[in-house]
Amino acid sequence: MPALDALIAPRLAELAAAGLRRRLRAHDAALIDAASNDYLGLARHPELIERACTWARRHGAGSRAARLVTGTSAELLALEDRLARFKGTEAALIFATGYQLNSSVLPALLELGEKPLVFADRLNHASLHAGLRGVKQIRFRHNDLAHLDELLATHPGATRWIVTESVFSMDGDRADVPALTALAQRHGAFLYLDEAHATGALGAQGKGLAALAPGQVPVVMGTLGKALGGAGSYVAGSRVLIDWLVNRCGGFIYSTAPAPAALGALDAALDLVPGMDAERARLARMGDALRAALAARGIDTLASSTQIVPAVFGDAARALAAAERLRAAGILAVAIRPPTVPAGSARLRFALSAALTDAQFERLLAAVRAP
Ligand SMILES: Cc1ncc(COP(=O)(O)O)c(C=O)c1O
Protein backbone atom coordinates (compact mmCIF):
# COMPACT_ATOMS: atom_id res chain seq x y z
CA MET A 1 0.00 0.00 0.00
CA PRO A 2 1.42 3.46 -0.85
CA ALA A 3 2.72 5.27 2.25
CA LEU A 4 -0.03 7.87 2.37
CA ASP A 5 -2.77 5.30 1.99
CA ALA A 6 -1.21 3.31 4.83
CA LEU A 7 -1.67 6.34 7.07
CA ILE A 8 -5.25 6.83 5.99
CA ALA A 9 -6.59 3.26 5.97
CA PRO A 10 -6.54 2.66 9.77
CA ARG A 11 -8.25 6.00 10.34
CA LEU A 12 -11.02 5.03 7.93
CA ALA A 13 -11.33 1.71 9.72
CA GLU A 14 -11.76 3.57 13.03
CA LEU A 15 -14.57 5.63 11.52
CA ALA A 16 -16.23 2.50 10.18
CA ALA A 17 -15.99 0.79 13.56
CA ALA A 18 -17.77 3.77 15.16
CA GLY A 19 -20.51 3.68 12.51
CA LEU A 20 -19.31 7.07 11.26
CA ARG A 21 -17.72 6.24 7.93
CA ARG A 22 -19.25 8.27 5.11
CA ARG A 23 -19.55 7.08 1.55
CA LEU A 24 -20.58 8.80 -1.61
CA ARG A 25 -23.48 7.07 -3.15
CA ALA A 26 -25.30 8.19 -6.27
CA HIS A 27 -28.82 9.04 -5.25
CA ASP A 28 -31.67 7.09 -6.67
CA ALA A 29 -33.91 9.39 -8.71
CA ALA A 30 -36.82 6.98 -8.19
CA LEU A 31 -37.00 7.83 -4.49
CA ILE A 32 -39.19 10.61 -3.10
CA ASP A 33 -36.64 13.21 -2.04
CA ALA A 34 -37.21 14.33 1.55
CA ALA A 35 -33.56 15.18 2.14
CA SER A 36 -32.45 17.97 -0.22
CA ASN A 37 -32.55 21.70 0.45
CA ASP A 38 -34.51 22.67 -2.67
CA TYR A 39 -37.23 24.04 -0.41
CA LEU A 40 -39.24 25.87 -3.07
CA GLY A 41 -38.63 23.32 -5.83
CA LEU A 42 -36.78 25.93 -7.88
CA ALA A 43 -33.80 23.73 -8.81
CA ARG A 44 -35.90 22.17 -11.57
CA HIS A 45 -38.03 25.18 -12.36
CA PRO A 46 -38.13 25.74 -16.15
CA GLU A 47 -37.49 29.47 -15.81
CA LEU A 48 -34.31 28.94 -13.79
CA ILE A 49 -33.06 26.30 -16.21
CA GLU A 50 -33.87 28.46 -19.23
CA ARG A 51 -32.23 31.58 -17.75
CA ALA A 52 -29.15 29.55 -16.72
CA CYS A 53 -28.84 28.32 -20.34
CA THR A 54 -29.35 31.82 -21.73
CA TRP A 55 -26.66 33.28 -19.47
CA ALA A 56 -24.25 30.45 -20.30
CA ARG A 57 -24.83 30.94 -24.04
CA ARG A 58 -24.39 34.70 -23.70
CA HIS A 59 -21.45 34.81 -21.27
CA GLY A 60 -19.80 31.39 -21.55
CA ALA A 61 -19.54 28.26 -19.43
CA GLY A 62 -17.10 29.88 -17.00
CA SER A 63 -16.47 33.38 -15.72
CA ARG A 64 -12.75 33.13 -16.69
CA ALA A 65 -11.20 35.04 -13.79
CA ALA A 66 -11.50 36.32 -10.27
CA ARG A 67 -13.81 39.29 -9.81
CA LEU A 68 -11.04 41.87 -9.36
CA VAL A 69 -9.26 40.66 -12.51
CA THR A 70 -11.84 40.37 -15.29
CA GLY A 71 -14.58 38.33 -13.59
CA THR A 72 -17.05 41.15 -12.84
CA SER A 73 -19.74 41.67 -15.46
CA ALA A 74 -22.32 44.47 -15.45
CA GLU A 75 -24.96 41.75 -15.02
CA LEU A 76 -23.25 40.47 -11.88
CA LEU A 77 -23.15 43.96 -10.37
CA ALA A 78 -26.83 44.40 -11.21
CA LEU A 79 -27.65 41.05 -9.57
CA GLU A 80 -25.84 42.10 -6.41
CA ASP A 81 -27.93 45.27 -6.36
CA ARG A 82 -31.08 43.17 -6.69
CA LEU A 83 -29.97 40.91 -3.85
CA ALA A 84 -29.22 43.92 -1.65
CA ARG A 85 -32.71 45.31 -2.32
CA PHE A 86 -34.21 41.88 -1.56
CA LYS A 87 -32.35 41.81 1.78
CA GLY A 88 -33.01 45.49 2.54
CA THR A 89 -29.31 46.40 2.67
CA GLU A 90 -27.13 48.90 0.82
CA ALA A 91 -24.96 46.32 -0.89
CA ALA A 92 -24.30 42.62 -1.39
CA LEU A 93 -21.48 40.43 -2.65
CA ILE A 94 -21.86 37.05 -4.33
CA PHE A 95 -19.53 34.09 -3.71
CA ALA A 96 -19.30 30.66 -5.32
CA THR A 97 -20.45 28.78 -2.19
CA GLY A 98 -21.61 29.46 1.34
CA TYR A 99 -18.79 27.42 2.85
CA GLN A 100 -16.27 29.55 0.99
CA LEU A 101 -18.03 32.71 2.14
CA ASN A 102 -18.26 31.87 5.84
CA SER A 103 -14.74 30.51 5.95
CA SER A 104 -13.25 33.66 4.42
CA VAL A 105 -15.57 36.54 5.37
CA LEU A 106 -15.24 35.91 9.12
CA PRO A 107 -11.42 36.13 9.07
CA ALA A 108 -11.65 39.42 7.14
CA LEU A 109 -14.05 40.80 9.77
CA LEU A 110 -11.89 39.63 12.65
CA GLU A 111 -9.04 41.78 11.35
CA LEU A 112 -11.09 44.77 12.49
CA GLY A 113 -10.76 46.41 15.88
CA GLU A 114 -8.71 45.50 18.92
CA LYS A 115 -8.64 41.87 20.09
CA PRO A 116 -12.05 40.86 18.75
CA LEU A 117 -14.10 38.35 20.74
CA VAL A 118 -16.50 35.87 19.16
CA PHE A 119 -19.67 34.56 20.82
CA ALA A 120 -20.95 31.59 18.85
CA ASP A 121 -24.00 29.34 19.12
CA ARG A 122 -22.96 25.79 20.02
CA LEU A 123 -24.77 24.37 17.00
CA ASN A 124 -23.29 26.63 14.35
CA HIS A 125 -22.58 25.13 10.94
CA ALA A 126 -19.14 23.71 10.05
CA SER A 127 -18.50 26.56 7.60
CA LEU A 128 -18.83 29.10 10.42
CA HIS A 129 -16.34 27.08 12.47
CA ALA A 130 -14.03 27.05 9.46
CA GLY A 131 -14.18 30.85 9.44
CA LEU A 132 -13.32 30.91 13.13
CA ARG A 133 -10.47 28.39 13.01
CA GLY A 134 -7.72 29.39 15.42
CA VAL A 135 -10.04 31.91 17.10
CA LYS A 136 -11.17 31.27 20.66
CA GLN A 137 -14.94 30.97 20.47
CA ILE A 138 -17.06 31.77 23.51
CA ARG A 139 -19.85 29.26 22.92
CA PHE A 140 -23.35 29.92 24.16
CA ARG A 141 -25.93 27.20 24.67
CA HIS A 142 -27.98 26.67 21.54
CA ASN A 143 -30.45 29.54 21.05
CA ASP A 144 -30.14 30.43 24.74
CA LEU A 145 -30.11 34.22 24.75
CA ALA A 146 -30.02 34.43 28.55
CA HIS A 147 -26.75 32.47 28.44
CA LEU A 148 -25.45 34.73 25.66
CA ASP A 149 -26.43 37.79 27.71
CA GLU A 150 -24.53 36.42 30.69
CA LEU A 151 -21.43 35.66 28.60
CA LEU A 152 -21.48 39.11 27.02
CA ALA A 153 -21.76 40.66 30.48
CA THR A 154 -18.77 38.70 31.77
CA HIS A 155 -16.49 39.02 28.70
CA PRO A 156 -16.04 42.71 28.01
CA GLY A 157 -14.23 43.92 24.91
CA ALA A 158 -14.27 46.71 22.38
CA THR A 159 -14.97 44.53 19.32
CA ARG A 160 -17.35 41.67 19.92
CA TRP A 161 -19.17 39.48 17.41
CA ILE A 162 -22.21 37.26 17.84
CA VAL A 163 -22.15 34.54 15.17
CA THR A 164 -25.26 32.46 14.65
CA GLU A 165 -27.74 31.01 12.16
CA SER A 166 -31.30 32.23 11.78
CA VAL A 167 -32.55 28.71 10.96
CA PHE A 168 -30.37 25.88 12.19
CA SER A 169 -29.45 23.46 9.46
CA MET A 170 -29.74 20.25 11.47
CA ASP A 171 -32.40 21.15 14.08
CA GLY A 172 -34.74 23.24 11.92
CA ASP A 173 -35.39 25.70 14.74
CA ARG A 174 -35.13 29.48 14.56
CA ALA A 175 -33.11 32.10 16.32
CA ASP A 176 -35.12 34.98 17.76
CA VAL A 177 -33.60 37.61 15.48
CA PRO A 178 -35.27 40.73 16.96
CA ALA A 179 -34.20 39.65 20.47
CA LEU A 180 -30.68 38.91 19.23
CA THR A 181 -30.35 42.32 17.60
CA ALA A 182 -31.62 44.02 20.77
CA LEU A 183 -29.13 42.04 22.86
CA ALA A 184 -26.29 42.81 20.45
CA GLN A 185 -27.11 46.52 20.60
CA ARG A 186 -27.37 46.55 24.37
CA HIS A 187 -23.88 45.05 24.63
CA GLY A 188 -22.42 46.97 21.70
CA ALA A 189 -21.73 43.73 19.79
CA PHE A 190 -22.01 43.05 16.06
CA LEU A 191 -24.30 40.32 14.75
CA TYR A 192 -23.18 37.96 11.96
CA LEU A 193 -26.27 36.06 10.81
CA ASP A 194 -26.25 32.98 8.55
CA GLU A 195 -29.56 32.77 6.68
CA ALA A 196 -28.65 29.75 4.54
CA HIS A 197 -31.88 27.91 5.39
CA ALA A 198 -34.14 30.94 5.80
CA THR A 199 -33.43 32.80 2.56
CA GLY A 200 -36.32 32.17 0.20
CA ALA A 201 -38.07 29.77 2.57
CA LEU A 202 -39.11 32.06 5.43
CA GLY A 203 -40.13 35.62 6.13
CA ALA A 204 -42.33 37.96 4.13
CA GLN A 205 -41.61 37.37 0.42
CA GLY A 206 -38.95 34.86 1.44
CA LYS A 207 -36.60 37.58 2.65
CA GLY A 208 -35.45 35.51 5.61
CA LEU A 209 -35.63 36.24 9.31
CA ALA A 210 -33.29 39.25 9.26
CA ALA A 211 -36.31 41.04 7.79
CA LEU A 212 -37.88 40.82 11.27
CA ALA A 213 -35.30 43.38 12.44
CA PRO A 214 -34.94 45.70 9.44
CA GLY A 215 -31.60 47.47 9.28
CA GLN A 216 -30.46 45.90 12.55
CA VAL A 217 -28.23 43.07 11.32
CA PRO A 218 -24.90 44.48 10.16
CA VAL A 219 -23.71 41.30 8.40
CA VAL A 220 -26.10 38.77 6.92
CA MET A 221 -25.22 35.91 4.62
CA GLY A 222 -27.24 33.28 2.85
CA THR A 223 -26.88 30.64 0.20
CA LEU A 224 -28.24 30.51 -3.33
CA GLY A 225 -28.17 26.72 -3.64
CA LYS A 226 -31.01 25.92 -1.27
CA ALA A 227 -34.44 27.61 -1.54
CA LEU A 228 -33.13 29.79 -4.37
CA GLY A 229 -32.53 26.67 -6.43
CA GLY A 230 -29.15 27.48 -7.98
CA ALA A 231 -25.65 27.71 -6.53
CA GLY A 232 -23.55 30.21 -4.63
CA SER A 233 -23.97 32.53 -1.68
CA TYR A 234 -24.23 36.19 -0.77
CA VAL A 235 -23.23 38.48 2.04
CA ALA A 236 -25.26 41.66 2.51
CA GLY A 237 -24.74 44.80 4.56
CA SER A 238 -23.47 48.34 4.21
CA ARG A 239 -21.53 49.54 1.18
CA VAL A 240 -18.51 50.08 3.43
CA LEU A 241 -18.69 46.46 4.65
CA ILE A 242 -18.77 45.16 1.08
CA ASP A 243 -15.87 47.44 0.10
CA TRP A 244 -13.86 46.01 3.00
CA LEU A 245 -14.54 42.45 1.83
CA VAL A 246 -13.59 43.30 -1.75
CA ASN A 247 -10.26 44.49 -0.33
CA ARG A 248 -9.55 41.98 2.43
CA CYS A 249 -11.53 38.78 1.97
CA GLY A 250 -9.23 36.12 0.50
CA GLY A 251 -12.09 33.81 -0.51
CA PHE A 252 -13.42 36.61 -2.68
CA ILE A 253 -10.17 38.09 -3.98
CA TYR A 254 -8.39 34.89 -4.95
CA SER A 255 -11.28 32.86 -6.34
CA THR A 256 -12.84 32.66 -9.79
CA ALA A 257 -16.18 34.44 -10.09
CA PRO A 258 -19.35 32.30 -10.07
CA ALA A 259 -20.28 30.70 -13.39
CA PRO A 260 -22.73 32.62 -15.60
CA ALA A 261 -25.26 29.78 -15.50
CA ALA A 262 -25.49 30.08 -11.70
CA LEU A 263 -26.00 33.83 -12.02
CA GLY A 264 -28.73 33.33 -14.62
CA ALA A 265 -30.51 30.92 -12.27
CA LEU A 266 -30.30 33.52 -9.51
CA ASP A 267 -31.72 36.21 -11.78
CA ALA A 268 -34.77 34.02 -12.43
CA ALA A 269 -35.07 33.00 -8.76
CA LEU A 270 -35.19 36.65 -7.71
CA ASP A 271 -38.11 37.15 -10.12
CA LEU A 272 -40.02 34.23 -8.63
CA VAL A 273 -39.22 33.95 -4.91
CA PRO A 274 -41.06 37.06 -3.60
CA GLY A 275 -44.31 35.79 -5.16
CA MET A 276 -44.12 32.29 -3.68
CA ASP A 277 -46.01 32.88 -0.41
CA ALA A 278 -48.43 30.04 -1.24
CA GLU A 279 -45.51 27.60 -1.55
CA ARG A 280 -44.02 28.89 1.72
CA ALA A 281 -47.36 28.45 3.49
CA ARG A 282 -47.69 24.89 2.16
CA LEU A 283 -44.14 24.12 3.28
CA ALA A 284 -45.05 25.32 6.78
CA ARG A 285 -48.14 23.07 6.84
CA MET A 286 -46.08 20.10 5.65
CA GLY A 287 -43.58 20.71 8.45
CA ASP A 288 -46.38 20.76 11.03
CA ALA A 289 -47.90 17.55 9.66
CA LEU A 290 -44.56 15.71 9.62
CA ARG A 291 -43.73 16.81 13.18
CA ALA A 292 -47.16 15.62 14.33
CA ALA A 293 -46.67 12.22 12.65
CA LEU A 294 -43.25 11.78 14.26
CA ALA A 295 -44.48 12.94 17.68
CA ALA A 296 -47.32 10.42 17.47
CA ARG A 297 -44.64 7.73 17.23
CA GLY A 298 -42.80 9.19 20.21
CA ILE A 299 -39.93 10.50 18.06
CA ASP A 300 -38.26 13.72 19.22
CA THR A 301 -38.23 16.54 16.67
CA LEU A 302 -36.40 18.97 18.99
CA ALA A 303 -37.57 22.58 18.60
CA SER A 304 -38.06 22.38 14.83
CA SER A 305 -40.57 24.90 13.49
CA THR A 306 -39.55 25.06 9.84
CA GLN A 307 -39.21 22.96 6.69
CA ILE A 308 -36.27 21.13 8.31
CA VAL A 309 -37.53 18.39 10.62
CA PRO A 310 -35.11 16.23 12.61
CA ALA A 311 -36.18 12.82 13.86
CA VAL A 312 -33.72 12.08 16.63
CA PHE A 313 -32.74 8.47 17.32
CA GLY A 314 -29.58 9.15 19.33
CA ASP A 315 -27.59 6.18 18.21
CA ALA A 316 -25.96 6.29 14.74
CA ALA A 317 -26.91 2.68 13.94
CA ARG A 318 -30.59 3.33 14.75
CA ALA A 319 -30.64 6.44 12.56
CA LEU A 320 -29.05 4.49 9.70
CA ALA A 321 -31.58 1.68 10.13
CA ALA A 322 -34.45 4.20 10.00
CA ALA A 323 -33.03 5.68 6.78
CA GLU A 324 -32.87 2.17 5.29
CA ARG A 325 -36.47 1.45 6.31
CA LEU A 326 -37.63 4.62 4.59
CA ARG A 327 -35.55 3.85 1.52
CA ALA A 328 -37.31 0.51 1.25
CA ALA A 329 -40.60 2.46 1.33
CA GLY A 330 -39.40 4.66 -1.54
CA ILE A 331 -38.35 7.70 0.52
CA LEU A 332 -34.96 9.39 0.59
CA ALA A 333 -34.27 10.68 4.13
CA VAL A 334 -30.66 10.85 5.17
CA ALA A 335 -29.16 9.80 8.50
CA ILE A 336 -27.02 12.57 9.99
CA ARG A 337 -24.39 11.43 12.45
CA PRO A 338 -21.67 13.01 14.55
CA PRO A 339 -19.59 15.06 14.00
CA THR A 340 -22.21 16.85 11.87
CA VAL A 341 -24.52 16.72 14.91
CA PRO A 342 -23.50 16.40 18.59
CA ALA A 343 -22.58 12.93 19.87
CA GLY A 344 -25.66 10.94 20.89
CA SER A 345 -28.04 12.92 18.67
CA ALA A 346 -27.85 10.97 15.39
CA ARG A 347 -31.02 11.57 13.45
CA LEU A 348 -32.87 11.56 10.21
CA ARG A 349 -32.95 15.06 8.81
CA PHE A 350 -36.09 15.59 6.76
CA ALA A 351 -35.90 18.61 4.48
CA LEU A 352 -39.27 19.33 2.89
CA SER A 353 -39.84 20.86 -0.50
CA ALA A 354 -42.71 22.52 -2.28
CA ALA A 355 -41.66 20.27 -5.18
CA LEU A 356 -43.25 17.28 -3.41
CA THR A 357 -46.73 16.54 -4.67
CA ASP A 358 -49.55 15.97 -2.17
CA ALA A 359 -49.47 12.28 -3.07
CA GLN A 360 -45.71 12.06 -2.45
CA PHE A 361 -46.03 13.83 0.87
CA GLU A 362 -48.86 11.47 1.89
CA ARG A 363 -46.55 8.53 1.09
CA LEU A 364 -43.88 10.08 3.28
CA LEU A 365 -46.35 10.48 6.16
CA ALA A 366 -47.60 6.92 5.68
CA ALA A 367 -44.02 5.60 5.79
CA VAL A 368 -43.32 7.53 8.98
CA ARG A 369 -46.53 6.22 10.57
CA ALA A 370 -45.92 2.60 9.54
CA PRO A 371 -44.86 0.37 12.43
C1 LIG B 1 -26.02 27.12 7.88
C2 LIG B 1 -25.20 26.90 6.65
N1 LIG B 1 -24.31 27.83 6.27
C3 LIG B 1 -23.55 27.67 5.18
C4 LIG B 1 -23.67 26.55 4.38
C5 LIG B 1 -22.75 26.38 3.21
O1 LIG B 1 -23.36 26.74 2.02
P1 LIG B 1 -22.93 26.08 0.62
O2 LIG B 1 -23.62 24.76 0.54
O3 LIG B 1 -23.36 27.06 -0.41
O4 LIG B 1 -21.44 25.92 0.66
C6 LIG B 1 -24.61 25.56 4.73
C7 LIG B 1 -24.85 24.34 3.96
O5 LIG B 1 -24.56 23.97 2.97
C8 LIG B 1 -25.38 25.74 5.89
O6 LIG B 1 -26.25 24.80 6.26
Side-chain angles (χ1 to χ4, degrees), residues 97-100 102 125 127 165 169 194 196-197 221 223 226 232:
T97 75
Y99 193 101
Q100 178 182 349
N102 279 335
H125 188 256
S127 57
E165 299 173 32
S169 60
D194 179 329
H197 296 276
M221 69 76 65
T223 55
K226 297 184 170 71

Side-chain angles (χ1 to χ4, degrees), residues 247-304:
N247 282 277
R248 291 301 304 169
C249 176
F252 175 81
I253 298 168
Y254 302 110
S255 186
T256 301
L263 300 176
L266 171 60
D267 190 52
L270 287 173
D271 288 346
L272 295 168
V273 165
M276 297 183 80
D277 280 343
E279 284 81 356
R280 281 183 283 274
R282 177 163 171 261
L283 209 47
R285 286 195 301 275
M286 289 161 86
D288 288 342
L290 179 55
R291 278 184 291 276
L294 289 162
R297 298 218 47 192
I299 298 172
D300 188 3
T301 59
L302 303 173
S304 162

